Amino acid sequence: MSPETAHVRVSHVTKRFGGVTAVDDVSFEVPKGSFATLLGPSGCGKTTTLRMIAGFYDPDLGDIEIGGRRVNNLPVHRRGTAMVFQDYALFPHMTVRDNVAYGLRVAHVSGPDRTRRVDETLAFVGLGGLGDRWPNQLSGGQQQRVAVARALVIQPQVLLLDEPLSNLDAKLREQLRVEMRILQRRLGMTFVYVTHDQEEALSLSDWIAVMNAGKVEQAGAPWEIYYHPRTAFLADFVGAVNLVPAQVTNLADGTATVSFGRHRAEVRRPEASLRAGQDVRLCVRPESFTIAPEGTVASGISLPGTIVRRAFLGDTMRYWVKVDDREWIVDQPDPGGSATLDGPVSLSLRPDRVHVIAE
Amino acid sequence: MRSLRREPALLLALLAVTALVLLFVVYPQLQVVLTPGPGGYVQYLQDGTWVGPLRNSIQLTLLSTTTAVVLGFIYAYAMVYSNMRWKPFFRLVGILPLLSPPFVVAAAYTLLFGARGVISYGVFGQSPNIYGLNGVWGVQTIAFFPFAYQLIADALSRSDPRMEQAARNLGAGSWRVFRTVTLPLSRPGLGAAILTTAIYILEDFGNPQLIGGSFYVLPTEAYSLISSFGEFTSAAAVSTILLLLALGLYLAKVRLDGGRSFVTISGRASSMPRPPVSAAVSRACFVACFALAGIILLVYGSLVVSALTLRFPNNLQFTTEHFQYVLSGTNGDALRNTLVFSGVAAAISAVFALFAGWLVQRGTWPGRRVLDLLLILPAAIPGIFFGLGYLLAFNQRWLDFVDRGWLIIIAFVFWNIPVGYQAAVAGLRQIDRSIDEAATSLGASSIRGFRDVVLPMLGGSLRVGFVTTFVRAVTTLSLVIFLFTPPTTTATIRIYQLVGDLNWGAATAYTVADIGMAIIALLVFAVLARGRIALGAARA
Amino acid sequence: MTPELDRRKFLKLAGATAVIAACGGAPAAAPSGSVTASTAPKATGRISIYSALNESTNNQLFAAFTKATGVEVAALPLAAAGDLQTKITAEKNNPQADIFVGGSSEFHDPLGKQGLLEAYQSPNAKDVQAQFKEASGLWTGWYTGIFGFISNTSRLNADIGGKKPATWDDLLDPVWKQRLILPDPIKTGGGYIFIATQIFRFGRDETKAMDFMKKLHPNILSYGPTSPGVITSISNGEAAGAPNWSHDILTEKAKDPTRVDLTVPKDTGFEVGAVSIVKGTKNLLGAQAFVDWVLTKDAGDLNTKLSNRGSVRTDVAPAPGAPTLTSVTLVNYDRQWATDNKTRIQKLWQTTVGIQ
């Protein structure tokens, strides 16, 4: 991406706390108007990175730019960012209206203008009419919307969100996820979002950076992260996966031939450099399979096996299928439509759904 | 807050707070501590006259703390756990001793329990010799158990009733639950309560001075070195010994309770009921509290009687002449001074302590541990040396344009910083950092965020700081005795003068007026603050 | 505020004096400190007085002074002269007091030695005996107090057999065991003067005096922290009797003549109540006017009436019933020696009776 379109740029940033390196030489760029997510397990440095962008922490090394301007020496309140906190951090001694109006008051926005903008924003997040409530009179979801409204109303250049949905129950989380995405599209505002929930990251983001142990392991579009993880950690972290040891037997233009167990398959060649004879791992998502009763003729790679266990997950049926000595996880979508399988089955897999991880 | 470099205003504020603390705590105290010089210390330490008072101080502190804590514990247990009647009454009586100048009360004890005491001799026909160790021990026990009660009740009421419910549910009896669940859980709070009581007793001057006879403890030794030998040097050395002892206790206490050194006297019942104790225990509690409250009421009742009679205890004819005296001419000025000085100092001290607490607790800058220590240091400095330090440091010709009242107010402010400061730190610990971060992230500077968000949320800590400073300022004699000038005489000074002048009737009338004024002021404050009266158990 | 004003006024006045002197219209300018009252400009303004006198005495005495001279008084009364002495010492960078009045000369003398007092030879001190004033005028005595003995009449009759002590040695009788209170020799001036009196009584034989104090110790119920407080204790009957100041005993007796009584044992000591000017005073003329005034007969009469103390002036009649320096047998009290050896004697006594 060109430097002009990068709205937030983090270059070679390092942050240590005592002897622990929380963020280790991290660099990335977030384009203007995009929804960028920092994803990773707890302690990976994602929140620290976000807080450095906000200005709550100073980087030990490296630069942070917002809108093409280096902000290392700017205090929090001069950075043009606004933050939505994990626990909302609503001011308990102010009403909803006063909470939302706070940033405008600080910016000396005049009374009538302020009232108008507060009302608009509250209506925008679906809280019209609740302005006179106190924070402790609101449900978790409503509090979360106030927190977002409070940050949005000051029209920040960049909105920073630190696990804003993690305190909500699953159903509400899903609903707000959709709303959040619609909101961001409508405003065209740059969002930098931190979460440990891969589903959330995949469903919301234009761009994801997966962090582990203070480093960015991989960054890119959600599908790229999901289907073409660069490491086993990534593959495992971003959803359920089958990681199968294999060996490269032949390399051709754009394809690679790999062997695993008694099987052999020709798959898409990954970007990473490979050589013949190299040990690799195959990464196959459970939903990439087609499962059918034994003997069914299938296209692509065909693997005969036996069902060991199964679990009903609602929208899918998950099987553990023994193929040779290994168990594979296989998801069958829309299980209500077909009878539950048992015993020997036949799995089939399109070669382009097999991703090779070179390690 | 993260980076002081990025916010010059914050850096300035920090430098200002540090400078004020250095100027009004460290500098005056150094004047006292450095007075003897190294040679002076060596000579005084070799002289060895400090050994006796030091031994006496330690002995007395151990004895009085033990008994005061035992009685305070009984009172606290009864208040927190039993279902006895008259609890609001007992709570009120427990506050009285915190509001009165100690030396008047000591004098009242001799009139009641002395060799020809109204109670000891008049009722029981006994002539106990209350002068000396036993007398001071007894008086301190009665005088300080209410402090121990406040602190222990606070520690006990912090234990979670749900745990006790659970233990009872598992089949343990009420005493067993108390012993095996409540006590272990509140051990740090109890330890801190004991140490705090010990510091008050260690630094108590009025009671040993009036009743100690020739039983000298460190504060009375220091005072008599000053007032009779004129040995300012040796007195400063004694003060330093006392300061080190008190500081040691104080640091141990801060370590134990993690900075909670305040008590909240709540008018409201706890939302979750504690499991009931048996009716027999409640009855026993009632009897014990009744006896203890009786002693307190007797003392304060005798002050009122004495204020309204010609010559207590020898001539009990009713008169209003003592109160007329208090209100006549310029005699009431000292009451007004006390009200103004204490009120202004309490307001400034509470806000300043809160701001300093915020800077230290939320800050990440180097050296905050040192500022932390300096902010709790005044708690270990005996009032008389705090005042003397101010006189040495600030009685300068070029400062004459400043009204002397301000010097007294500033002394009140900084002497009482520790309670408000620790209340602020404790309060801040309960407020997530993200609340102040939210304000800055919405465009407010750190200091603006403190004003708009932190300050209003720390109402409780602010009240603790205000009320404690007010109460201590109203009751202290030692701090002002070297600072006052004729126009800035305070109520305690007037009482001291009247006691010294053998005008016992006027002295007690003045004391009753002073306590009454303090209670009214606190009630007004409680109404204005629309909240509970939080009272720090602290006094000179 | 006012002190500043006072100083300006004083400087103006001083300047005017100098101009007059320069013009030769006035007698040759005398060195400062010896300006006589007749030629000095009239004292005005206000003076600040640190007073160790009783409250009731203060009010009337100072009111009379203001009436006589027009100089206003801001009084800071503290019954403990030692507190005032310490306060003046600690304030030496910027003295707040113009006058230190009351308390025996022992409290004034060290201040003079430290250079904290302004020497002033009042014309009215001319006739005061040398033993009652400091030679260079650092302090001047203006009243006297005699050490006596207060007894609680009912306890004296019940426990002691009604016999008041004629000599100090009478107090060693075991009948007094635990029935005496002595003002604390460390904390009070009176207590120290009592010990010094014993030393002079034994012809400066400190060993004998300490032996006396040691034998007295078992008879003492307690050492009282203030001299007036001891009088209250005796009045309340906590003990049968106590050595104390005659004038204070008389004041207590006036409240209820049947309750307590005064005797003055043979070979007793006395105090000289002093007045001094604090160096650095902002109203020297006013301060000098005060010293001049307390040495007048009017002031002496008033003080005698108010406090039952004696006066250094021979023309002031003693209060009714009050002992005078000539009516009692006094020890040969060497005030300078007593003052100079105070700390040493106090410590010697502490070790002797084993008090620490």
Side-chain angles (χ1 to χ4, degrees):
Chain A
M1 101 190 42
S2 67
E4 291 76 41
T5 57
H7 198 188
V8 176
R9 177 180 299 158
V10 172
S11 333
H12 303 291
V13 162
T14 296
K15 177 74 187 169
R16 291 185 200 89
F17 293 110
V20 181
T21 305
V23 173
D24 190 1
D25 193 26
V26 162
S27 301
F28 60 81
E29 291 177 350
V30 177
K32 196 173 175 70
S34 69
F35 196 124
T37 298
L38 303 177
L39 172 68
S42 59
C44 70
K46 59 188 188 300
T47 296
T48 305
T49 306
L50 189 77
R51 293 174 68 84
M52 283 193 281
I53 297 172
F56 295 129
Y57 296 149
D58 288 325
D60 294 330
L61 296 170
D63 288 331
I64 292 169
E65 287 169 46
I66 295 174
R69 183 175 172 210
R70 185 169 176 273
V71 296
N72 286 41
N73 292 322
L74 283 184
V76 178
H77 62 285
R78 299 253 164 76
R79 292 199 176 189
T81 58
M83 184 132 154
V84 178
F85 293 84
Q86 183 172 10
D87 50 7
Y88 321 134
L90 298 183
F91 307 136
H93 59 297
M94 296 184 192
T95 60
V96 166
R97 183 181 302 283
D98 289 339
N99 261 283
V100 177
Y102 182 76
L104 298 177
R105 210 181 289 268
V106 170
H108 305 293
V109 174
S110 67
D113 196 18
R114 190 167 68 216
T115 313
R116 184 181 53 76
R117 280 168 69 178
V118 169
D119 286 343
E120 274 175 18
T121 312
L122 281 175
F124 188 67
V125 298
L127 290 177
L130 294 184
D132 295 325
R133 297 266 189 100
W134 296 91
N136 61 8
Q137 296 171 319
L138 301 180
S139 71
Q142 287 169 327
Q143 290 187 34
Q144 202 277 337
R145 282 174 221 221
V146 176
V148 172
R150 186 177 67 175
L152 285 179
V153 77
I154 62 170
Q155 297 171 346
Q157 292 190 56
V158 180
L159 187 67
L160 306 172
L161 303 101
D162 185 8
E163 309 228 13
L165 303 180
S166 65
N167 287 343
L168 302 172
D169 61 61
K171 199 165 157 115
L172 192 57
R173 198 155 60 211
E174 223 160 295
Q175 183 195 333
L176 284 170
R177 213 184 272 168
V178 177
E179 287 181 17
M180 193 88 75
R181 183 60 172 157
I182 294 170
L183 192 75
Q184 188 267 338
R185 281 275 160 78
R186 226 157 76 187
L187 295 170
M189 195 182 277
T190 308
F191 275 34
V192 180
Y193 192 100
V194 158
T195 183
H196 65 275
D197 181 333
Q198 42 89 16
E199 246 182 81
E200 205 168 291
L202 295 174
S203 64
L204 281 170
S205 318
D206 295 319
W207 179 90
I208 296 176
V210 186
M211 294 186 68
N212 185 35
K215 289 181 178 292
V216 173
E217 293 246 340
Q218 187 174 353
W223 65 268
E224 208 179 323
I225 302 281
Y226 190 73
Y227 286 111
H228 297 151
R230 216 174 279 157
T231 63
F233 163 80
L234 277 163
D236 192 40
F237 185 71
V238 188
V241 73
N242 296 291
L243 284 173
V244 181
Q247 198 173 40
V248 180
T249 52
N250 192 26
L251 285 166
D253 204 25
T255 61
T257 310
V258 292
S259 65
F260 54 100
R262 298 188 286 107
H263 307 275
R264 177 179 285 265
E266 192 169 290
V267 298
R268 205 176 71 105
R269 185 172 173 174
E271 281 166 31
S273 63
L274 285 181
R275 53 181 172 74
Q278 185 178 345
D279 285 332
V280 293
R281 286 215 255 182
L282 303 184
C283 163
V284 186
R285 297 288 174 194
E287 66 275 17
S288 302
F289 292 95
T290 311
I291 185 166
E294 189 183 25
T296 311
V297 180
S299 59
I301 307 157
S302 181
L303 304 167
T306 313
I307 290 173
V308 186
R309 271 179 297 144
R310 61 171 176 264
F312 180 55
L313 303 179
D315 53 351
T316 53
M317 177 66 84
R318 175 161 292 178
Y319 295 100
W320 282 263
V321 180
K322 191 155 193 174
V323 178
D324 303 333
D325 296 339
R326 284 195 68 83
E327 270 180 27
W328 295 66
I329 304 167
V330 178
D331 283 355
Q332 179 192 23
D334 194 16
S338 55
T340 305
L341 296 169
D342 208 353
V345 288
S346 164
L347 301 176
S348 64
L349 183 60
R350 273 166 50 191
D352 62 342
R353 295 295 174 87
V354 176
H355 172 62
V356 177
I357 297 174
E359 276 183 272
Chain B
M1 172 70 51
R2 309 319 119 187
S3 172
L4 294 169
R5 270 172 296 128
R6 292 192 317 219
E7 277 195 81
L10 195 62
L11 180 63
L12 274 179
L14 175 64
L15 290 177
V17 166
T18 310
L20 286 172
V21 169
L22 288 176
L23 181 63
F24 290 119
V25 176
V26 178
Y27 173 64
Q29 204 49 36
L30 277 182
Q31 301 277 319
V32 176
V33 171
L34 295 184
T35 295
Y41 276 108
V42 169
Q43 196 194 341
Y44 183 70
L45 290 179
Q46 283 174 346
D47 199 18
T49 48
W50 51 276
V51 177
L54 176 65
R55 196 186 48 228
N56 289 349
S57 263
I58 292 172
Q59 183 188 10
L60 183 65
T61 302
L62 286 176
L63 289 172
S64 297
T65 304
T66 307
T67 44
V69 163
V70 167
L71 293 187
F73 187 87
I74 292 170
Y75 209 88
Y77 179 83
M79 292 301 289
V80 178
Y81 282 90
S82 81
N83 306 316
M84 67 180 178
R85 289 166 298 161
W86 295 16
K87 269 193 192 177
F89 166 76
F90 289 135
R91 185 172 294 123
L92 193 71
V93 172
I95 296 175
L96 269 181
L98 312 182
L99 294 175
S100 49
F103 57 96
V104 179
V105 178
Y109 284 121
T110 43
L111 290 181
L112 289 172
F113 306 110
R116 280 297 183 273
V118 175
I119 304 297
S120 51
Y121 187 75
V123 178
F124 296 104
Q126 299 296 311
S127 296
N129 179 8
I130 63 165
Y131 298 100
L133 170 63
N134 291 335
V136 186
W137 180 16
V139 171
Q140 282 189 335
T141 301
I142 303 298
F144 288 99
F145 95 78
F147 288 82
Y149 146 63
Q150 307 274 7
L151 294 160
I152 293 170
D154 178 58
L156 289 180
S157 58
R158 279 170 199 274
S159 79
D160 191 340
R162 282 174 302 181
M163 305 234 187
E164 289 161 19
Q165 303 273 21
R168 288 293 286 276
N169 195 26
L170 293 170
S174 62
W175 174 243
R176 194 184 165 88
V177 169
F178 185 74
R179 199 165 44 83
T180 56
V181 178
T182 314
L183 272 188
L185 282 177
S186 21
R187 192 174 290 148
L190 287 177
I194 293 169
L195 289 172
T196 308
T197 310
I199 294 173
Y200 293 142
I201 290 174
L202 177 68
E203 293 193 351
D204 180 28
F205 166 73
N207 294 312
Q209 172 74 5
L210 282 172
I211 304 187
S214 48
F215 183 80
Y216 278 80
V217 290
L218 290 172
T220 53
E221 171 76 6
Y223 180 76
S224 47
L225 281 169
I226 285 184
S227 79
S228 96
F229 291 89
E231 283 192 26
F232 189 61
T233 309
S234 309
V238 176
S239 160
T240 305
I241 296 175
L242 188 59
L243 190 147
L244 290 176
L245 271 182
L247 194 63
L249 286 173
Y250 203 80
L251 290 178
K253 181 226 150 223
V254 169
R255 182 165 284 249
L256 262 182
D257 73 352
R260 278 185 288 111
S261 75
F262 61 97
V263 184
T264 306
I265 297 168
S266 161
R268 268 182 240 154
S270 159
S271 54
M272 165 86 68
R274 293 183 186 275
V277 300
S278 73
V281 172
S282 280
R283 268 197 302 278
C285 284
F286 180 80
V287 171
C289 286
F290 191 81
L292 289 171
I295 295 174
I296 296 177
L297 277 188
L298 209 58
V299 170
Y300 288 87
S302 81
L303 292 183
V304 175
V305 170
S306 151
L308 289 170
T309 52
L310 270 179
R311 279 192 77 212
F312 182 84
N314 301 325
N315 184 341
L316 295 182
Q317 197 189 323
F318 176 81
T319 179
T320 56
E321 74 174 52
H322 303 312
F323 279 106
Q324 279 169 13
Y325 171 84
V326 169
L327 299 173
S328 68
T330 55
N331 286 324
D333 288 2
L335 279 177
R336 189 204 56 210
N337 283 344
T338 289
L339 188 64
V340 172
F341 295 168
S342 308
V344 173
I348 297 175
S349 185
V351 174
F352 184 85
L354 199 67
F355 185 64
W358 175 72
L359 281 175
V360 172
Q361 208 271 334
R362 289 294 204 247
T364 51
W365 35 275
R368 49 194 280 270
R369 290 269 138 238
V370 178
L371 188 58
D372 180 60
L373 182 72
L374 292 182
L375 284 163
I376 59 173
L377 182 69
I381 302 174
I384 193 165
F385 291 97
F386 204 83
L388 210 47
Y390 266 53
L391 195 61
L392 291 171
F394 303 119
N395 179 47
Q396 307 292 350
R397 231 167 249 279
W398 63 274
L399 285 171
D400 275 352
F401 69 96
V402 184
D403 191 278
R404 187 54 86 91
W406 280 108
L407 192 59
I408 295 179
I409 290 174
I410 293 170
F412 282 163
V413 167
F414 284 90
W415 192 47
N416 291 305
I417 283 282
V419 179
Y421 169 73
Q422 289 201 68
V425 169
L428 280 163
R429 285 213 185 100
Q430 288 164 4
I431 298 176
D432 199 278
R433 261 170 206 268
S434 63
I435 299 263
D436 12 345
E437 288 173 352
T440 52
S441 122
L442 293 171
S445 66
S446 293
I447 290 176
R448 174 92 195 251
F450 168 78
R451 195 195 76 187
D452 293 347
V453 178
V454 178
L455 196 60
M457 285 178 71
L458 282 178
S461 307
L462 209 56
R463 279 201 295 269
V464 169
F466 181 91
V467 175
T468 310
T469 306
F470 184 81
V471 167
R472 277 170 53 106
V474 166
T475 54
T476 184
L477 167 69
S478 53
L479 183 63
V480 280
I481 190 136
F482 287 118
L483 287 183
F484 82 101
T485 53
T488 59
T489 304
T490 63
T492 44
I493 293 282
R494 281 302 289 142
I495 297 167
Y496 182 67
Q497 288 168 343
L498 291 167
V499 170
D501 207 33
L502 298 191
N503 197 342
W504 183 241
T508 47
Y510 220 102
T511 307
V512 171
D514 188 31
I515 297 175
M517 182 194 77
I519 289 176
I520 291 168
L522 288 179
L523 287 177
V524 169
F525 174 73
V527 170
L528 290 180
R530 264 176 286 144
R532 303 162 296 166
I533 293 192
L535 195 57
R539 170 169 88 175
Chain C
M1 308 184 315
T2 15
E4 187 61 26
L5 264 178
D6 288 345
R7 193 171 54 181
R8 258 191 250 145
K9 260 187 202 161
F10 167 68
L11 287 174
K12 264 191 212 156
L13 289 167
T17 321
V19 171
I20 293 167
C23 296
S32 102
S34 62
V35 180
T36 54
S38 55
T39 57
K42 196 170 156 41
T44 52
R46 177 195 288 256
I47 54 171
S48 165
I49 299 183
Y50 284 9
S51 169
L53 302 171
N54 293 347
E55 166 116 356
S56 44
T57 311
N58 281 330
N59 295 342
Q60 299 195 41
L61 200 68
F62 299 156
F65 165 68
T66 302
K67 202 171 162 203
T69 62
V71 178
E72 307 247 341
V73 170
L76 188 146
L78 272 185
D83 288 359
L84 294 175
Q85 184 196 337
T86 306
K87 205 164 152 66
I88 290 168
T89 312
E91 286 171 350
K92 66 179 170 215
N93 286 339
N94 181 25
Q96 299 292 312
D98 301 303
I99 287 285
F100 177 21
V101 69
S104 55
S105 60
E106 280 90 335
F107 295 104
H108 294 251
D109 198 67
L111 290 175
K113 289 211 168 63
Q114 291 168 63
L116 300 179
L117 298 180
E118 181 82 39
Y120 175 56
Q121 305 277 11
S122 168
N124 297 347
K126 218 167 44 237
D127 300 328
V128 175
Q129 290 178 48
Q131 62 157 327
F132 296 149
K133 62 186 179 189
E134 201 274 332
S136 62
L138 285 171
W139 54 265
T140 311
W142 62 287
Y143 68 77
T144 56
I146 294 170
F147 216 67
F149 187 85
I150 180 175
S151 51
N152 179 296
T153 309
S154 61
R155 290 214 52 183
L156 190 77
N157 291 334
D159 301 336
I160 314 294
K163 190 168 160 284
K164 292 175 194 159
T167 68
W168 294 120
D169 285 327
D170 288 352
L171 294 179
L172 296 181
D173 189 325
V175 75
W176 288 101
K177 189 171 161 65
Q178 291 287 295
R179 283 171 181 154
L180 288 173
I181 299 179
L182 183 67
D184 192 318
I186 308 294
K187 291 175 187 165
T188 68
Y192 174 67
I193 286 182
F194 180 78
I195 296 186
T197 300
Q198 307 313 318
I199 293 175
F200 296 128
R201 187 160 70 91
F202 291 111
R204 301 209 185 183
D205 185 334
E206 290 174 18
T207 320
K208 277 189 184 160
M210 285 303 140
D211 192 46
F212 170 82
M213 291 306 294
K214 196 174 178 149
K215 284 186 189 145
L216 186 65
H217 187 62
N219 288 357
I220 306 250
L221 176 72
S222 74
Y223 294 92
T226 67
S227 296
V230 170
I231 291 183
T232 311
S233 297
I234 299 301
S235 185
N236 290 339
E238 284 175 37
N244 217 302
W245 294 111
S246 302
H247 44 270
D248 290 335
I249 298 170
L250 282 177
T251 306
E252 181 70 16
K253 191 181 168 185
K255 293 178 190 164
D256 184 352
T258 60
R259 182 170 281 277
V260 295
D261 204 1
L262 162 71
T263 48
V264 181
K266 200 166 149 301
D267 293 334
T268 194
F270 68 103
E271 69 167 342
V272 173
V275 60
S276 55
I277 299 175
V278 178
K279 192 165 219 154
T281 168
K282 287 158 191 160
N283 188 354
L284 183 63
L285 288 177
Q288 290 176 343
F290 183 80
V291 175
D292 292 343
W293 182 80
V294 290
L295 290 163
T296 61
K297 178 169 189 304
D298 286 351
D301 283 336
L302 184 59
N303 184 40
T304 303
K305 189 183 103 194
L306 292 172
S307 69
N308 293 317
R309 289 177 162 117
S311 172
V312 295
R313 292 180 68 107
T314 43
D315 56 354
V316 171
T324 63
L325 294 179
T326 48
S327 71
V328 299
T329 328
L330 294 173
V331 292
N332 185 11
Y333 199 96
D334 183 341
R335 199 152 307 281
Q336 198 56 51
W337 187 90
T339 309
D340 294 343
N341 291 279
K342 185 173 168 200
T343 310
R344 187 178 64 78
I345 297 296
Q346 281 174 324
K347 284 184 177 159
L348 182 63
W349 170 74
Q350 276 188 323
T351 8
T352 305
V353 293
I355 289 174
Q356 253 307 311

